[in-house]
């Protein structure tokens, strides 16, 4: 998205620079830089404002009343990008560290219950060329699964997962089996060049459901 497109969307949203800055979670100065073309507009920001415009258009199609942006529930979710993931492994329980991470705004298309994190996908193990793939650089929105739920059969037929493993790091995988009695899960990669393997849940620090994926517009 270039600066002219961003400015045009802001005007269509009938929002002042300060209003849209507050919605995105940045300072007004950042919006001013973007609209002057002095700084690149982040892809996550472009995605967010485009979605805001789509929501307004959908509501205008269904009703004569315009969308009231103050009524939108906006959740700013911490992002562990590729460079921050090593730090996340050591500090996932440190609230101050989590608060120091950059955030991505999400509107009320997700439930506002539980603990959410975003991760940036690394590697090609979950890329098989299909619509189900997770490509390197994708941003995935994830919801934490409480450890007491690990004692029951995981709903692995419904979700894919991010597994924060104490030794193997942050893994984006599909779970194809959960041996509840032994506490072992079998992880599967969509890319056929990677073999399935088992891990014990005692070696897992965090377990997340993947809720949604954000992808660059110029990628499949």
């Amino acid at each position: 998205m270039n600066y002219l497109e961003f400015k045009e969307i802001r005007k269509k949203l009938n929002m002042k620079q300060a209003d849209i800055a507050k919605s995105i979670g940045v300072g007004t100065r950042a919006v001013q830089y973007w609209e002057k073309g002095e700084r690149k507009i982040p892809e996550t920001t472009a995605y967010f404002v485009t979605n805001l415009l789509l929501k307004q258009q959908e509501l205008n199609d269904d009703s004569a009343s315009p969308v009231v942006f103050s009524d939108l529930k906006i959740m700013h979710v911490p992002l562990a990008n590729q460079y921050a993931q090593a730090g996340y492994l050591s500090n996932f329980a440190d609230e101050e560290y989590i608060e120091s991470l950059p955030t991505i705004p999400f509107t009320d298309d997700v439930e506002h219950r539980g603990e959410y994190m975003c991760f940036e996908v690394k590697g090609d193990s979950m890329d098989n060329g299909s619509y189900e793939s997770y490509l390197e650089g994708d941003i995935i929105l994830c919801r934490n699964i409480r450890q007491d739920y690990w004692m029951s059969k995981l709903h692995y037929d419904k979700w894919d997962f991010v597994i924060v493993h104490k030794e193997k790091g942050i893994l984006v995988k599909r779970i194809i089996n959960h041996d509840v009695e032994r506490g072992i899960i079998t992880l599967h990669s969509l890319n056929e060049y990677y073999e399935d393997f088992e891990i014990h849940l005692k070696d897992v620090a965090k377990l997340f459901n993947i809720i949604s994926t954000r992808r660059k517009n110029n990628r499949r």
Side-chain angles (χ1 to χ4, degrees), residues 9 12-15 23 46-75 105-112 214:
I9 287 177
K12 288 181 178 179
L13 292 170
N14 196 27
M15 299 178 79
S23 295
Y47 181 96
F48 181 67
V49 298
T50 302
N51 272 7
L52 280 181
L53 182 60
L54 290 173
K55 282 179 177 291
Q56 184 190 57
Q57 292 171 340
E58 288 172 2
L59 289 177
N60 284 343
D61 288 342
D62 296 336
S63 169
S65 302
V67 60
V68 179
F69 289 96
S70 60
D71 292 340
L72 283 176
K73 297 178 182 178
I74 297 175
M75 179 172 61
F106 287 85
T107 53
D108 55 2
D109 54 346
V110 297
E111 297 180 11
H112 287 250
R214 289 186 178 178

Side-chain angles (χ1 to χ4, degrees), residues 129-140:
S130 75
Y131 72 94
E132 296 181 304
S133 296
Y134 300 93
L135 308 183
E136 182 163 32
D138 283 353
I139 303 298
I140 48 179

Side-chain angles (χ1 to χ4, degrees), residues 76-111:
H76 296 275
V77 182
L79 167 66
N81 59 27
Q82 293 189 17
Y83 304 103
Q85 289 182 13
Y88 178 82
L89 283 171
S90 304
N91 298 282
F92 63 85
D94 185 339
E95 291 186 8
E96 289 187 8
Y97 172 79
I98 299 300
E99 290 177 357
S100 73
L101 292 173
T103 61
I104 296 181
F106 287 85
T107 53
D108 55 2
D109 54 346
V110 297
E111 297 180 11

Side-chain angles (χ1 to χ4, degrees), residues 88-218:
Y88 178 82
L89 283 171
S90 304
N91 298 282
F92 63 85
D94 185 339
E95 291 186 8
E96 289 187 8
Y97 172 79
I98 299 300
E99 290 177 357
S100 73
L101 292 173
T103 61
I104 296 181
F106 287 85
T107 53
D108 55 2
D109 54 346
V110 297
E111 297 180 11
H112 287 250
R113 293 194 300 271
E115 174 193 346
Y116 287 83
M117 276 292 301
C118 288
F119 297 92
E120 183 178 6
V121 176
K122 295 172 62 176
D124 65 349
S125 68
M126 291 296 283
D127 181 8
N128 64 354
S130 75
Y131 72 94
E132 296 181 304
S133 296
Y134 300 93
L135 308 183
E136 182 163 32
D138 283 353
I139 303 298
I140 48 179
L141 172 67
C142 305
R143 183 169 55 215
N144 181 52
I145 305 171
R146 287 176 10 203
Q147 286 198 9
D148 51 314
Y149 290 151
W150 301 5
M151 307 302 293
S152 304
K153 198 83 166 183
L154 295 170
H155 297 290
Y156 56 81
D157 57 337
K158 182 177 181 181
W159 309 98
D160 288 325
F161 296 82
V162 169
I163 302 97
V164 181
H165 193 274
K166 296 174 184 177
E167 296 181 359
K168 298 179 182 293
I170 296 172
L171 308 172
V172 180
K173 297 294 177 187
R174 181 162 293 178
I175 295 175
I176 58 173
N177 189 52
H178 179 195
D179 186 330
V180 177
E181 291 186 3
R182 297 168 59 211
I184 291 176
I185 55 177
T186 304
L187 304 185
H188 174 73
S189 299
L190 297 183
N191 189 329
E192 63 181 9
Y193 291 104
Y194 295 83
E195 294 183 357
D196 297 344
F197 61 97
E198 295 181 346
I199 60 171
H200 200 290
L201 285 171
K202 67 179 177 60
D203 297 319
V204 173
K206 288 266 191 178
L207 190 61
F208 294 88
N209 291 326
I210 298 177
I211 304 299
S212 66
T213 305
R214 289 186 178 178
R215 180 166 299 164
K216 296 178 182 179
N217 290 333
N218 62 342

Side-chain angles (χ1 to χ4, degrees), residues 1 3 5-35 41 45-53 69-70 72 74 76 105:
M1 176 181 290
Y3 70 99
E5 292 170 328
F6 180 89
K7 190 173 183 178
E8 182 65 21
I9 287 177
R10 178 178 65 79
K11 289 181 176 180
K12 288 181 178 179
L13 292 170
N14 196 27
M15 299 178 79
K16 297 178 180 178
Q17 289 180 336
D19 296 330
I20 200 165
K22 184 177 180 181
S23 295
I24 298 169
V26 300
T28 304
R29 182 64 61 86
V31 173
Q32 293 171 347
Y33 283 136
W34 293 338
E35 293 196 353
I41 299 169
T45 297
Y47 181 96
F48 181 67
V49 298
T50 302
N51 272 7
L52 280 181
L53 182 60
F69 289 96
S70 60
L72 283 176
I74 297 175
H76 296 275

